[in-house]
Amino acid sequence: MKIATFNINGIKARAEALPAWLDEAQPDVVLLQEIKSVDENFPRELFEDRGYNVETHGQKSFNGVAILSKHPLEDVSRGLPGDESDEQARWIEATVMGEREALRVCGLYLPNGNPAPGPKFDYKLAWMQRLKARAQALLAEETPFLMAGDYNIIPQAEDAAKPDAWRDDALFRPESRAAWRRLLNLGLTEAFRARTQGPGHYSFWDYQAGAWNRNNGIRIDHFLLSPACADMLRDCQIDRDVRGRDKPSDHVPVWVDLDF
């Protein structure tokens, strides 16, 4: 099973590019971020016509997450538990039903957190604490699961072309990376680094200052796998070339291949 995460930076802006990539890559499940659309305006037919079941958790003009799946989806849940006052559409999860077993997939758009320090950074760290609590709850259930999406976290210096430029940014501050490590320390596997080591691998290039042409990127789109899910991992890759196509998102797809 091929499962992808893709921050599309607006479904309207990617109405041609996203279906073209789906037709080429043929993922079984896709976790989308920044759909920037309310649920009723999401163009479901674009994906249903391609055989996908569609579940969204939208928000007007910004944020918004979705799941596209060629397999049945059950027990869909919207919103990260732990703060009933949080109205930002950043979390969706569902159970993908395979022929042999079930997999819980969690799609997330983690807060950016800038400017840091400040209220937005506090929200980011509190959100990550809630994420850790959700991971602990899922681990206790012993159901295979993955958490994937735009984490807005640069885990290590090698995950940025110019790490010094990010030292004071919320994506790379010590507090953010410490919260990331606390997730890993639960026993989760970061899929890309389980297969590929070394610098030069990025999933985001800013639209400004010729970042793409200069390969001035960062790696912030990640898959975290539970132990049972990590046992299924066959591969994890970044579809880098998508960034150089017409009307691209500033992110590119990242995908895992699971023996599921």
Side-chain angles (χ1 to χ4, degrees):
M1 178 181 288
K2 185 176 185 179
I3 303 177
T5 177
F6 194 178
N7 180 324
I8 56 172
N9 194 13
I11 186 61
K12 291 182 180 178
R14 241 52 67 197
E16 295 181 5
L18 177 57
W21 173 76
L22 289 172
D23 292 344
E24 173 191 323
Q26 291 293 314
D28 299 290
V29 179
V30 187
L31 305 172
L32 299 176
Q33 303 91 48
E34 279 202 276
I35 62 173
K36 298 181 180 179
S37 169
V38 294
D39 294 336
E40 54 266 32
N41 290 342
F42 188 81
R44 304 174 59 93
E45 66 281 353
L46 276 178
F47 311 106
E48 291 173 341
D49 289 347
R50 289 171 165 80
Y52 288 100
N53 299 293
V54 179
E55 296 288 348
T56 62
H57 179 35
Q59 188 172 349
K60 186 177 180 180
S61 302
F62 64 104
N63 296 335
V65 288
I67 303 176
L68 314 177
S69 176
K70 291 184 176 179
H71 296 261
L73 293 172
E74 296 185 359
D75 300 324
V76 181
S77 177
R78 296 165 175 85
L80 182 64
D83 183 357
E84 293 184 359
S85 68
D86 186 2
E87 297 180 349
Q88 297 193 30
R90 296 181 174 275
W91 178 269
I92 188 169
E93 63 177 86
T95 299
V96 176
M97 304 304 297
E99 293 182 1
R100 293 177 293 168
E101 54 188 314
L103 175 68
R104 193 73 176 165
V105 296
C106 308
L108 63 95
Y109 176 43
L110 204 147
N112 177 286
N114 283 304
K120 290 185 177 180
F121 190 54
D122 294 341
Y123 173 63
K124 180 191 187 92
L125 296 180
W127 206 95
M128 294 189 75
Q129 182 60 36
R130 289 160 55 200
L131 179 62
K132 178 173 177 274
R134 183 60 186 144
Q136 288 174 311
L138 288 169
L139 286 167
E141 294 174 9
E142 297 186 353
T143 299
F145 72 89
L146 60 81
M147 294 176 164
D150 177 1
Y151 278 78
N152 272 313
I153 295 287
I154 304 169
Q156 302 178 70
E158 66 182 6
D159 296 311
K162 298 181 178 179
D164 288 343
W166 296 90
R167 294 294 178 190
D168 296 323
D169 193 282
L171 278 65
F172 195 54
R173 285 180 67 96
E175 302 96 322
S176 302
R177 291 188 289 138
W180 166 262
R181 288 193 297 273
R182 285 193 287 272
L183 281 170
L184 294 178
N185 289 342
L186 294 175
L188 303 183
T189 295
E190 207 258 277
F192 184 78
R193 286 306 184 195
R195 285 292 178 267
T196 304
Q197 303 299 316
H201 305 284
Y202 313 125
S203 64
F204 170 92
W205 295 260
D206 197 277
Y207 289 127
Q208 307 299 319
W212 166 245
N213 291 330
R214 299 178 185 213
N215 197 28
N216 181 15
I218 53 177
R219 194 177 68 88
I220 57 175
D221 301 88
H222 310 298
F223 276 87
L224 293 185
L225 313 181
S226 72
C229 187
D231 287 343
M232 305 177 193
L233 180 63
R234 299 172 61 181
D235 200 5
C236 180
Q237 298 291 335
I238 300 171
D239 279 356
R240 182 184 187 279
D241 292 348
V242 174
R243 183 62 173 81
R245 299 179 184 177
D246 291 340
K247 297 182 180 180
S249 171
D250 41 9
H251 296 251
V252 297
V254 181
W255 54 266
V256 294
D257 180 17
L258 302 179
D259 183 14
F260 175 74

